[in-house]
Amino acid sequence: MSHEFTRRKFLKAATTAGVGGVALRYATVAGMFGAGGVPNLLAAETDKPVKLGGKPVRTAAFPAWPIIDETEDKALLEVLHSKKWFRGDGQVVNQFETAYAQLTGAKHCVATANGTSAVIAALGALDVGPGDEVIVPPYTFVATVNAVLMHHALPVFVDSDPETFQIDAKKIEAAISDRTIAIVPVHLGGGVSDLDAIMEISNRRKISVVEDACQAHLAEWRGKKVGTYGEAGCFSFQTSKNLNSGEGGAVLTNDDDLAERVYSFHNNCRARKTASYNFTYRGTRGANLRLTEFQGALLLAQMTRLEHQAKTRDDNAQYLTKLLGEIPGVVVARNYDGCTRNAHHLFMFRYRKEEFAGLPRAKFISALGAEGIPASGGYSPLNTESFIKDAFKTRAYQRVYPADLLANWAGRTRCPANDKLCEEAVWFTQTMLLGTRSDMDDIAAAVRKIKTYAAELAKA
Ligand SMILES: *Cc1c(COP(=O)(O)O)cnc(C)c1O
């Protein structure tokens, strides 16, 4: 603990003193301490990896999540004592919707119980249903696909662009059929999928776009917030997300009528309450997908830190991208030119084991973990998951879709680039980007250390 503190303090001093270059900075710090009873700080990087009996680069934890203070206490207690816990009784969810629409520049925002129900509500309000095809990426959280299956529509996977980890927009057109009703691009990891190309296809072919922006709060395409390009944009406020109320979600839209249909869908087909509480039904289907006033209050409180946290993540991500970019075999996900702001829900890169003496990714991740740097291998290919094929065997799918369509589905939705991406991907989570530059130095030091000893680690 005190060792870690001393080391970080000196690294910081070295940085602010204007010592350029990471290697030089470490050398300078090591020189300050030299030999003797004082811990040798250079050891952190040149010592053997923990897996080979060395000391870890880092023992301190990365920033904890969520981050709260008395703002949350006050907001939650106010709702509690108001005894208005249901959005129909209070004003807090309404206030959140107004604030989130203002923040994103959307005309309308409808809060939902979670991100999954945001996508379900958006697709439902667009009357996506049995017999329809919906284009989705294979590199996403399973909820994107579950929302399509909930409507008994057919998910059609379009391969990934491994350089960005986003859907490969160049391959979308070939996947369109006369059943295609919508494209659900996912702004994965807080990066942005190619909205120029996707919106061009959408406009020309008259196919709806529902953006899954569940990982992309505050991300921007050409200076405009994501979630405002498609007919609808969906967000998640689940606890791991960059804006968090434990569970929660929202649909953005600029379309007045669609906003009312989404509202009704999330409110059991009941339109907005009128002064006389003379409610009317509208839309074609619905459920109860409402957010509570408690969650609305948490979101308003958490939003006070959103911009500042996004800035911290972006500064750290840019610095880490530079550090890792200098290591052959580490290929950080790049942004498309149109992406003017990345929300960095994940820090994603491809790990090329060929450049690490053949050290398998699983061993690389495990060695990183041992150095105090938690990492994950990310998603597995969704398009080959058996639960989707099982869904097609159900009575509803069997009745609705021609047998040859279901039989040809697997061949139509092969995603070879994504298969490779799933083997090479490594992620760090957004909370790791909320710390300091020296935290980023630690991450890069651990990767360099593992690379130095990769051959030995491969044999271990
Ligand atoms: C988190 C997430 C969802 C679902 O959100 P929940 O709030 O967990 O229901 C959907 N799509 C993507 C890409 C996500 O990351």
Side-chain angles (χ1 to χ4, degrees):
M1 180 76 190
S2 66
H3 171 171
E4 184 59 30
F5 179 67
T6 313
R7 185 178 154 269
R8 279 147 149 277
K9 223 165 68 177
F10 269 86
L11 280 174
K12 210 169 184 175
T15 312
T16 45
V19 180
V22 174
L24 185 54
R25 197 181 311 150
Y26 273 89
T28 309
V29 172
M32 282 172 183
F33 280 83
V38 189
N40 181 355
L41 299 174
L42 189 62
E45 186 168 349
T46 61
D47 191 14
K48 291 196 164 190
V50 173
K51 294 277 185 190
L52 299 173
K55 284 197 269 313
V57 166
R58 182 187 169 90
T59 51
F62 283 94
W65 185 258
I67 293 164
I68 57 166
D69 61 22
E70 54 290 349
T71 318
E72 279 75 10
D73 290 4
K74 193 165 163 287
L76 286 171
L77 283 171
E78 258 173 36
V79 171
L80 181 71
H81 293 295
S82 76
K83 299 186 181 172
K84 292 174 177 171
W85 302 344
F86 158 56
R87 75 163 295 173
D89 293 333
Q91 282 302 318
V92 184
V93 172
N94 287 340
Q95 283 161 14
F96 166 73
E97 289 173 337
T98 303
Y100 201 66
Q102 213 157 41
L103 181 70
T104 53
K107 197 164 176 197
H108 304 281
C109 170
V110 177
T112 57
N114 48 61
T116 310
S117 57
V119 184
I120 290 172
L123 293 177
L126 291 167
D127 280 331
V128 171
D132 291 335
E133 292 182 4
V134 177
I135 290 175
V136 291
Y139 201 78
T140 182
F141 181 59
V142 65
T144 314
V145 176
N146 279 335
V148 174
L149 294 173
M150 283 294 280
H151 290 296
H152 288 103
L154 197 72
V156 173
F157 291 95
V158 167
D159 209 351
S160 301
D161 174 355
E163 286 195 22
T164 59
F165 287 56
Q166 310 297 333
I167 192 168
D168 189 340
K170 293 188 297 299
K171 296 179 181 168
I172 289 177
E173 191 118 28
I176 294 173
S177 80
D178 57 0
R179 291 173 178 266
T180 309
I181 202 84
I183 306 168
V184 184
V186 178
H187 303 308
L188 199 92
V192 185
S193 51
D194 186 347
L195 282 171
D196 286 355
I198 293 165
M199 294 314 298
E200 191 278 323
I201 295 168
S202 161
N203 292 329
R204 184 163 42 79
R205 303 290 302 260
K206 307 275 175 281
I207 294 169
S208 298
V209 168
V210 172
E211 294 171 75
D212 181 339
C214 286
Q215 301 185 2
H217 316 78
L218 296 185
E220 291 177 7
W221 183 260
R222 303 202 183 283
K224 198 168 104 125
K225 295 281 187 291
V226 303
T228 62
Y229 279 85
E231 256 167 282
C234 303
F235 290 81
S236 166
F237 311 124
Q238 187 269 343
T239 202
S240 66
K241 305 295 161 82
N242 297 17
L243 180 59
N244 166 17
S245 54
E247 300 278 7
V251 180
L252 301 182
T253 182
N254 293 322
D255 179 326
D256 298 345
D257 191 61
L258 182 60
E260 294 315 302
R261 280 170 7 236
V262 170
Y263 185 94
S264 302
F265 191 98
H266 107 300
N267 195 37
N268 270 322
C269 289
R270 290 169 81 168
R272 284 182 206 276
K273 200 160 102 177
T274 58
S276 59
Y277 199 50
N278 188 16
F279 74 82
T280 51
Y281 292 108
R282 70 164 299 173
T284 54
R285 284 163 295 159
N288 174 3
L289 308 174
R290 293 184 299 257
L291 196 72
T292 69
E293 293 284 281
F294 289 106
Q295 292 160 306
L298 258 181
L299 288 169
L300 283 167
Q302 292 275 304
M303 268 171 78
T304 61
R305 298 182 206 91
L306 186 61
E307 178 64 38
H308 176 71
Q309 289 169 346
K311 179 86 178 61
T312 304
R313 284 188 201 100
D314 195 37
D315 288 348
N316 278 325
Q318 289 195 30
Y319 180 62
L320 185 59
T321 298
K322 191 165 88 42
L323 295 182
L324 294 183
E326 289 161 6
I327 305 173
V330 174
V331 188
V332 179
R334 75 168 181 91
N335 293 325
Y336 291 115
D337 288 344
C339 175
T340 47
R341 188 174 195 186
N342 185 316
H344 304 291
H345 176 64
L346 301 166
F347 187 97
M348 308 181 290
F349 63 90
R350 280 178 292 155
Y351 167 76
R352 289 262 165 77
K353 68 169 189 246
E354 312 85 83
E355 307 261 9
F356 279 70
L359 179 70
R361 181 185 61 167
K363 283 192 169 182
F364 169 76
I365 288 171
S366 159
L368 263 184
E371 299 300 329
I373 313 294
S376 117
Y379 299 130
S380 51
L382 259 182
N383 53 315
T384 61
E385 286 290 343
S386 60
F387 85 94
I388 299 174
K389 279 180 210 128
D390 290 344
F392 297 167
K393 289 179 201 149
T394 60
R395 190 175 57 250
Y397 275 87
Q398 292 287 318
R399 279 188 178 166
V400 168
Y401 296 92
D404 63 328
L405 186 81
L406 295 178
N408 295 335
W409 179 85
R412 249 180 101 195
T413 58
R414 262 194 274 276
C415 299
N418 186 65
D419 294 344
K420 179 121 197 284
L421 179 62
C422 289
E423 285 167 18
E424 293 187 336
V426 178
W427 296 355
F428 301 129
T429 61
Q430 53 96 0
T431 58
M432 293 166 71
L433 301 173
L434 288 173
T436 61
R437 281 205 160 195
S438 90
D439 290 345
M440 303 303 108
D441 289 329
D442 285 347
I443 294 172
V447 174
R448 286 194 300 265
K449 189 208 258 196
I450 291 165
K451 180 155 181 149
T452 304
Y453 289 93
E456 277 182 66
L457 283 164
K459 278 180 244 141

mmCIF file of all heavy atoms in Angstrom, residues 114-117 119 140-141 143-144 186 188 212 214-215 236-238 241 247-248 345 379, ligand 1:
data_model
loop_
_atom_site.group_PDB
_atom_site.id
_atom_site.type_symbol
_atom_site.label_atom_id
_atom_site.label_comp_id
_atom_site.label_asym_id
_atom_site.label_seq_id
_atom_site.Cartn_x
_atom_site.Cartn_y
_atom_site.Cartn_z
ATOM 1 N N ASN A 114 -35.302 -0.858 -18.464
ATOM 2 C CA ASN A 114 -33.905 -1.233 -18.714
ATOM 3 C C ASN A 114 -33.614 -1.062 -20.204
ATOM 4 O O ASN A 114 -34.527 -0.710 -20.977
ATOM 5 C CB ASN A 114 -33.626 -2.675 -18.251
ATOM 6 C CG ASN A 114 -34.679 -3.639 -18.756
ATOM 7 O OD1 ASN A 114 -34.849 -3.793 -19.955
ATOM 8 N ND2 ASN A 114 -35.420 -4.256 -17.847
ATOM 9 N N GLY A 115 -32.384 -1.344 -20.606
ATOM 10 C CA GLY A 115 -32.005 -1.164 -22.007
ATOM 11 C C GLY A 115 -32.669 -2.184 -22.916
ATOM 12 O O GLY A 115 -33.038 -1.882 -24.054
ATOM 13 N N THR A 116 -32.807 -3.411 -22.412
ATOM 14 C CA THR A 116 -33.467 -4.448 -23.206
ATOM 15 C C THR A 116 -34.881 -4.011 -23.555
ATOM 16 O O THR A 116 -35.314 -4.094 -24.715
ATOM 17 C CB THR A 116 -33.517 -5.782 -22.422
ATOM 18 O OG1 THR A 116 -32.206 -6.078 -21.926
ATOM 19 C CG2 THR A 116 -33.993 -6.923 -23.294
ATOM 20 N N SER A 117 -35.602 -3.508 -22.543
ATOM 21 C CA SER A 117 -36.980 -3.085 -22.812
ATOM 22 C C SER A 117 -37.024 -1.815 -23.647
ATOM 23 O O SER A 117 -38.024 -1.565 -24.330
ATOM 24 C CB SER A 117 -37.786 -2.947 -21.521
ATOM 25 O OG SER A 117 -37.193 -2.048 -20.641
ATOM 26 N N VAL A 119 -35.083 -1.363 -26.277
ATOM 27 C CA VAL A 119 -35.021 -1.881 -27.657
ATOM 28 C C VAL A 119 -36.344 -2.585 -28.002
ATOM 29 O O VAL A 119 -36.876 -2.420 -29.108
ATOM 30 C CB VAL A 119 -33.817 -2.838 -27.859
ATOM 31 C CG1 VAL A 119 -33.727 -3.264 -29.321
ATOM 32 C CG2 VAL A 119 -32.510 -2.171 -27.433
ATOM 33 N N THR A 140 -22.118 -8.035 -29.954
ATOM 34 C CA THR A 140 -22.934 -7.194 -29.077
ATOM 35 C C THR A 140 -23.382 -7.993 -27.874
ATOM 36 O O THR A 140 -23.265 -9.217 -27.856
ATOM 37 C CB THR A 140 -24.170 -6.640 -29.823
ATOM 38 O OG1 THR A 140 -24.921 -5.788 -28.931
ATOM 39 C CG2 THR A 140 -25.095 -7.754 -30.303
ATOM 40 N N PHE A 141 -23.915 -7.272 -26.899
ATOM 41 C CA PHE A 141 -24.551 -7.944 -25.773
ATOM 42 C C PHE A 141 -25.816 -8.629 -26.288
ATOM 43 O O PHE A 141 -26.525 -8.094 -27.140
ATOM 44 C CB PHE A 141 -24.878 -6.919 -24.676
ATOM 45 C CG PHE A 141 -25.511 -7.525 -23.466
ATOM 46 C CD1 PHE A 141 -24.864 -8.516 -22.744
ATOM 47 C CD2 PHE A 141 -26.764 -7.117 -23.041
ATOM 48 C CE1 PHE A 141 -25.459 -9.093 -21.632
ATOM 49 C CE2 PHE A 141 -27.359 -7.680 -21.924
ATOM 50 C CZ PHE A 141 -26.702 -8.668 -21.223
ATOM 51 N N ALA A 143 -28.732 -8.926 -25.462
ATOM 52 C CA ALA A 143 -30.038 -8.250 -25.391
ATOM 53 C C ALA A 143 -30.478 -7.696 -26.743
ATOM 54 O O ALA A 143 -31.676 -7.664 -27.040
ATOM 55 C CB ALA A 143 -29.988 -7.118 -24.359
ATOM 56 N N THR A 144 -29.527 -7.242 -27.552
ATOM 57 C CA THR A 144 -29.876 -6.698 -28.871
ATOM 58 C C THR A 144 -30.659 -7.740 -29.666
ATOM 59 O O THR A 144 -31.656 -7.438 -30.317
ATOM 60 C CB THR A 144 -28.588 -6.323 -29.652
ATOM 61 O OG1 THR A 144 -27.705 -5.613 -28.795
ATOM 62 C CG2 THR A 144 -28.903 -5.497 -30.884
ATOM 63 N N VAL A 186 -25.280 -1.257 -33.275
ATOM 64 C CA VAL A 186 -24.913 -1.104 -31.863
ATOM 65 C C VAL A 186 -23.647 -0.254 -31.804
ATOM 66 O O VAL A 186 -22.676 -0.557 -32.505
ATOM 67 C CB VAL A 186 -24.650 -2.478 -31.222
ATOM 68 C CG1 VAL A 186 -24.228 -2.318 -29.757
ATOM 69 C CG2 VAL A 186 -25.884 -3.363 -31.320
ATOM 70 N N LEU A 188 -20.861 -0.010 -30.212
ATOM 71 C CA LEU A 188 -20.259 -0.913 -29.250
ATOM 72 C C LEU A 188 -19.085 -0.310 -28.482
ATOM 73 O O LEU A 188 -18.204 0.311 -29.066
ATOM 74 C CB LEU A 188 -19.814 -2.217 -29.929
ATOM 75 C CG LEU A 188 -19.652 -3.247 -28.820
ATOM 76 C CD1 LEU A 188 -20.892 -4.029 -28.594
ATOM 77 C CD2 LEU A 188 -18.451 -4.080 -29.022
ATOM 78 N N ASP A 212 -28.857 0.984 -31.087
ATOM 79 C CA ASP A 212 -28.617 0.455 -29.746
ATOM 80 C C ASP A 212 -27.400 1.199 -29.205
ATOM 81 O O ASP A 212 -26.251 0.869 -29.519
ATOM 82 C CB ASP A 212 -28.379 -1.059 -29.791
ATOM 83 C CG ASP A 212 -28.145 -1.653 -28.403
ATOM 84 O OD1 ASP A 212 -27.771 -0.896 -27.489
ATOM 85 O OD2 ASP A 212 -28.318 -2.883 -28.243
ATOM 86 N N CYS A 214 -26.805 1.548 -25.984
ATOM 87 C CA CYS A 214 -26.784 1.166 -24.566
ATOM 88 C C CYS A 214 -25.398 1.313 -23.935
ATOM 89 O O CYS A 214 -25.275 1.372 -22.716
ATOM 90 C CB CYS A 214 -27.296 -0.263 -24.400
ATOM 91 S SG CYS A 214 -29.081 -0.378 -24.606
ATOM 92 N N GLN A 215 -24.346 1.336 -24.787
ATOM 93 C CA GLN A 215 -22.983 1.492 -24.257
ATOM 94 C C GLN A 215 -22.388 2.850 -24.641
ATOM 95 O O GLN A 215 -21.181 3.038 -24.535
ATOM 96 C CB GLN A 215 -22.085 0.371 -24.809
ATOM 97 C CG GLN A 215 -22.572 -1.022 -24.448
ATOM 98 C CD GLN A 215 -21.617 -2.112 -24.888
ATOM 99 O OE1 GLN A 215 -20.547 -1.850 -25.442
ATOM 100 N NE2 GLN A 215 -21.990 -3.361 -24.636
ATOM 101 N N SER A 236 -29.147 2.122 -22.021
ATOM 102 C CA SER A 236 -29.269 1.311 -20.807
ATOM 103 C C SER A 236 -28.631 2.057 -19.649
ATOM 104 O O SER A 236 -27.588 2.702 -19.809
ATOM 105 C CB SER A 236 -28.553 -0.027 -20.988
ATOM 106 O OG SER A 236 -28.384 -0.663 -19.721
ATOM 107 N N PHE A 237 -29.266 1.954 -18.479
ATOM 108 C CA PHE A 237 -28.685 2.512 -17.262
ATOM 109 C C PHE A 237 -28.454 1.398 -16.243
ATOM 110 O O PHE A 237 -28.512 1.612 -15.037
ATOM 111 C CB PHE A 237 -29.602 3.614 -16.693
ATOM 112 C CG PHE A 237 -30.020 4.625 -17.735
ATOM 113 C CD1 PHE A 237 -31.364 4.879 -17.981
ATOM 114 C CD2 PHE A 237 -29.063 5.292 -18.493
ATOM 115 C CE1 PHE A 237 -31.744 5.800 -18.954
ATOM 116 C CE2 PHE A 237 -29.437 6.214 -19.465
ATOM 117 C CZ PHE A 237 -30.782 6.467 -19.699
ATOM 118 N N GLN A 238 -28.232 0.202 -16.757
ATOM 119 C CA GLN A 238 -27.888 -0.944 -15.903
ATOM 120 C C GLN A 238 -26.575 -0.619 -15.197
ATOM 121 O O GLN A 238 -25.786 0.206 -15.662
ATOM 122 C CB GLN A 238 -27.794 -2.205 -16.787
ATOM 123 C CG GLN A 238 -27.599 -3.502 -16.042
ATOM 124 C CD GLN A 238 -26.139 -3.842 -15.858
ATOM 125 O OE1 GLN A 238 -25.288 -3.300 -16.540
ATOM 126 N NE2 GLN A 238 -25.847 -4.734 -14.923
ATOM 127 N N LYS A 241 -23.163 0.264 -16.758
ATOM 128 C CA LYS A 241 -23.127 1.274 -17.823
ATOM 129 C C LYS A 241 -22.614 2.619 -17.305
ATOM 130 O O LYS A 241 -22.596 2.873 -16.108
ATOM 131 C CB LYS A 241 -24.506 1.423 -18.467
ATOM 132 C CG LYS A 241 -25.079 0.098 -19.001
ATOM 133 C CD LYS A 241 -24.256 -0.496 -20.153
ATOM 134 C CE LYS A 241 -24.508 -1.975 -20.379
ATOM 135 N NZ LYS A 241 -25.668 -2.309 -21.159
ATOM 136 N N GLU A 247 -30.861 -0.568 -12.618
ATOM 137 C CA GLU A 247 -31.550 -0.946 -13.853
ATOM 138 C C GLU A 247 -32.196 0.321 -14.397
ATOM 139 O O GLU A 247 -32.587 1.187 -13.632
ATOM 140 C CB GLU A 247 -32.654 -1.984 -13.598
ATOM 141 C CG GLU A 247 -32.214 -3.306 -12.994
ATOM 142 C CD GLU A 247 -31.655 -4.291 -14.010
ATOM 143 O OE1 GLU A 247 -31.477 -3.920 -15.191
ATOM 144 O OE2 GLU A 247 -31.393 -5.432 -13.599
ATOM 145 N N GLY A 248 -32.325 0.395 -15.692
ATOM 146 C CA GLY A 248 -32.995 1.550 -16.286
ATOM 147 C C GLY A 248 -32.676 1.629 -17.764
ATOM 148 O O GLY A 248 -31.739 0.984 -18.235
ATOM 149 N N HIS A 345 -17.156 3.013 -23.101
ATOM 150 C CA HIS A 345 -17.729 2.082 -22.119
ATOM 151 C C HIS A 345 -16.768 0.906 -21.918
ATOM 152 O O HIS A 345 -16.665 0.341 -20.829
ATOM 153 C CB HIS A 345 -19.095 1.576 -22.600
ATOM 154 C CG HIS A 345 -19.677 0.548 -21.694
ATOM 155 N ND1 HIS A 345 -20.020 0.823 -20.391
ATOM 156 C CD2 HIS A 345 -19.949 -0.761 -21.881
ATOM 157 C CE1 HIS A 345 -20.490 -0.277 -19.823
ATOM 158 N NE2 HIS A 345 -20.456 -1.248 -20.698
ATOM 159 N N TYR A 379 -16.986 -10.783 -25.954
ATOM 160 C CA TYR A 379 -18.089 -11.600 -26.448
ATOM 161 C C TYR A 379 -17.618 -12.803 -27.246
ATOM 162 O O TYR A 379 -16.563 -12.781 -27.873
ATOM 163 C CB TYR A 379 -18.994 -10.766 -27.362
ATOM 164 C CG TYR A 379 -19.642 -9.562 -26.712
ATOM 165 C CD1 TYR A 379 -19.580 -8.319 -27.313
ATOM 166 C CD2 TYR A 379 -20.334 -9.690 -25.507
ATOM 167 C CE1 TYR A 379 -20.190 -7.203 -26.729
ATOM 168 C CE2 TYR A 379 -20.937 -8.580 -24.924
ATOM 169 C CZ TYR A 379 -20.863 -7.348 -25.537
ATOM 170 O OH TYR A 379 -21.461 -6.261 -24.963
HETATM 171 C C1 LIG B 1 -26.489 -3.390 -21.644
HETATM 172 C C2 LIG B 1 -26.906 -3.541 -23.052
HETATM 173 C C3 LIG B 1 -28.229 -3.782 -23.422
HETATM 174 C C4 LIG B 1 -29.308 -4.104 -22.440
HETATM 175 O O1 LIG B 1 -29.437 -3.244 -21.414
HETATM 176 P P1 LIG B 1 -30.034 -3.742 -20.009
HETATM 177 O O2 LIG B 1 -30.260 -2.445 -19.309
HETATM 178 O O3 LIG B 1 -29.022 -4.591 -19.350
HETATM 179 O O4 LIG B 1 -31.295 -4.453 -20.281
HETATM 180 C C5 LIG B 1 -28.543 -3.830 -24.757
HETATM 181 N N1 LIG B 1 -27.597 -3.675 -25.700
HETATM 182 C C6 LIG B 1 -26.316 -3.458 -25.388
HETATM 183 C C7 LIG B 1 -25.323 -3.286 -26.478
HETATM 184 C C8 LIG B 1 -25.914 -3.408 -24.056
HETATM 185 O O5 LIG B 1 -24.639 -3.232 -23.752
#
